[in-house]
Amino acid sequence: LQRTLSDSEPVFDTLKKLQPDDTLFDVVRARDLALKSEWSRAATAYATGTAGKEDIEETYEQAAALLMAGLRDQYLEIVASLGEGIDEKSENNERFVASRTACLASESGIPTDQVLAWAGQARSQDDQAWLRHVLGLAHWRNGDFEEAIESR
């Protein structure tokens, strides 16, 4: 699907007209634009593709595109929104995505000790490599360099 949309804007436009509520087309389009380093357009496509979705997986990608496009304030809004949604009932993946997204920039608007707590909670539930990676990055952002090395 991504190759088809990448090769032909008219195909994408036609699919969107036929399925205007299907956000998958926007996410695929956003990924293609990101691969082409068209960051502003990618961020816009991600915003359309993630609007109103419960699943936050693409939120990380959207946040990265915003930073790459130089849209730091919008990035900060996304991180703040993710942070507001984290509580003791949050799923492991939510903590992972929130901490990973907050670690994209040196200053995310979320205290680094809070980001570290989310990453630690996510890591304590599972031993997947990506959870260790984010925990290490959270330690790094918090200035705990030895802990960052040890978290691998």
Side-chain angles (χ1 to χ4, degrees):
L1 179 63
Q2 186 165 341
R3 181 175 291 138
T4 301
L5 295 180
S6 176
D7 293 342
S8 178
E9 289 272 341
V11 170
F12 173 76
D13 294 338
T14 301
L15 289 171
K16 276 305 288 180
K17 286 178 187 170
L18 293 172
Q19 299 289 330
D21 297 329
D22 190 342
T23 59
L24 175 62
F25 297 125
D26 298 296
V27 171
V28 169
R29 185 73 180 133
R31 288 177 178 152
D32 180 62
L33 291 166
L35 288 171
K36 295 175 181 174
S37 297
E38 294 183 37
W39 300 111
S40 293
R41 290 182 64 204
T44 300
Y46 274 120
T48 304
T50 60
K53 287 180 72 173
E54 295 287 326
D55 184 8
I56 61 171
E57 285 295 323
E58 288 90 11
T59 304
Y60 169 80
E61 296 172 37
Q62 179 185 8
L66 288 167
L67 283 173
M68 295 300 293
L71 302 170
R72 186 173 183 77
D73 289 343
Q74 291 178 34
Y75 161 77
L76 293 173
E77 289 173 18
I78 285 178
V79 174
S81 176
L82 285 172
E84 290 168 5
I86 302 296
D87 60 24
E88 59 277 347
K89 297 177 186 171
S90 294
E91 303 258 338
N92 197 40
N93 190 51
E94 292 173 291
R95 289 185 180 93
F96 165 72
V97 172
S99 56
R100 184 179 186 213
T101 304
C103 285
L104 280 171
S106 59
E107 297 196 17
S108 66
I110 305 289
T112 55
D113 60 332
Q114 181 61 64
V115 175
L116 182 58
W118 294 336
Q121 291 163 352
R123 168 64 178 81
S124 72
Q125 301 295 315
D126 201 339
D127 192 35
Q128 298 295 329
W130 53 86
L131 298 173
R132 291 192 309 267
H133 174 266
V134 169
L135 179 59
L137 184 53
H139 276 298
W140 187 267
R141 291 286 190 211
N142 200 42
D144 304 327
F145 305 118
E146 292 299 319
E147 290 291 325
I149 294 167
E150 294 297 319
S151 67
R152 59 184 171 101

